[in-house]
Amino acid sequence: MENAEDQLLFSLKENKYAPRFNYEATDMLTGVFLAEVKAFESSLKVLRKDTKERKDFMLKKIRGLLNKASKNILEYMNLDILKVDLASLDEQALFTLLEHVPLSKREDLAQRPWRHVPVDMSLDNMIVYRTAGTTAEPMAVPSHPVATGCYSPLLVEAMAAWNVEPNFSPGGVGIALVGFQAKSVTVAARLQALNNSGFVKINIMESEWRDPLDPYRYILDINPSVLTGDPFSFSQLAHLGDLLIENGEIEEHYCPAALITTAVALKDAIRKHLVAKFRAPVIDLYSLTETGPIAYGCKAKNGYHVLPHDIHLEVVDKEGHPLPEGELGEIVITGGRNPYFPLIRYRTGDWGRLDFSTTCECGDKMPRIVDLEGRMPVLYHTPSGNWINNRDITAVLDRFPVTRFTFHQDSMGAFTLIARLAPFDKSTEKQDLELALKKILGEHARIDIKLDPNLGDRDIGKVIPFTTDFPLFYD
Ligand SMILES: [Zn+2]
């Protein structure tokens, strides 16, 4: 598909502001694979709206998944509980059975991938993604061109829920994925699943460009419909735009149809800034490399709606026991569309509550995750003897344009906040943060606050937001 005669790709690579792309790739979608992505897209549109049909679909899907796993996946082949006639189980019996299937987790895939990849799959079409994650060891995630191709319809569906319907055409750039990190793959390609529009993945780190402001000039020139990236990278991009406005080169910021943020939970103060700068909605996507997109931020701010129609969600407690709807627990996923790593009760490591009601005011009938937050809750002890959790700290920091931070309590009870503020912030002082934190930690809390404009630049994997050395009452 991609070759030297492709005018669009040529112009993306040879643009006078372009970075030197360090990778060549295509979407790897053959005609058959593209048809599969299109079929997924059709089901997605229909089944997200039809609760009854989706339920039937999921029953069939989970039956098929467990059946195949019991025959072809080493980890499940010898499980006695799967040696039953799955076809004979009704809905309740099937979900009860599912709750007794062992949980799978990141470490399993990292350490023993062969036990989780079906033995009957040809490996010819395997794509391997390396993922660092913020809290766990790096690992390789096996994927398939169809699973990757399905990202496009999922993004389109999330945008449609926000009434954003960009025009994707083969003559233009559909998506620019903006990163800001020490080292990353950069590429220009076409996405057949998105009407064969152009796609660029760029890294706005200074070292990649002829001039530090070129990333923004490049975006202006190639005119992408949608920007995707994390809130941190968007904040840096907005900063570059501000500099171009200050030096009189442009009058206002680039205005895409939408900004889609992934990877890090979006702080409200950051969202407001980005919306104001780019004059576009900022849609928060909850997505993991191992699972693909899971949910998107509800337009009416009622948590996150499950995005794909083909995943089943549960929450479990610290020990892995299933919890009823509404309880806070770790989110566990079954289903999906990655033939090399079918999700079977996969622990995401993220915590939240489930709400299966179908009456959200935004109109989306899909289940919701509320109070979504990464990792297990961390408890902090206040001088007055109360326990509060990291969500309370998040709620305080939410009002400030903090892009990265670490919050720690030492064994003597003293707190340390190290925060990196968005480059566009001109007004936040240490005292503001201290004052806000004292409102929940108490007047007598000892809080050391450091503002570090380089936090995470050396090793983002080490920036773990919430930690404590204070002895817990139940430990
Ligand atoms: Zn909603």
Side-chain angles (χ1 to χ4, degrees), residues 402-461:
V402 173
T403 55
R404 284 178 185 160
F405 68 92
T406 60
F407 185 81
H408 179 74
Q409 183 169 31
D410 69 21
S411 57
M412 303 304 289
F415 300 96
T416 307
L417 171 73
I418 305 174
R420 177 172 182 159
L421 295 166
F424 53 71
D425 176 65
K426 302 276 189 286
S427 59
T428 307
E429 304 278 351
K430 277 200 241 182
Q431 296 88 302
D432 303 328
L433 291 162
E434 186 175 347
L435 213 64
L437 284 171
K438 279 197 164 165
K439 284 206 175 115
I440 54 157
L441 295 173
E443 251 333 278
H444 303 293
R446 286 169 292 146
I447 312 173
D448 184 19
I449 294 179
K450 298 188 181 94
L451 298 180
D452 179 358
N454 303 310
L455 180 65
D457 276 357
R458 287 172 61 93
D459 189 356
I460 182 166

Side-chain angles (χ1 to χ4, degrees), residues 173-184:
V173 175
I175 293 178
L177 198 177
V178 178
F180 182 79
Q181 56 197 101
K183 213 173 169 190
S184 71

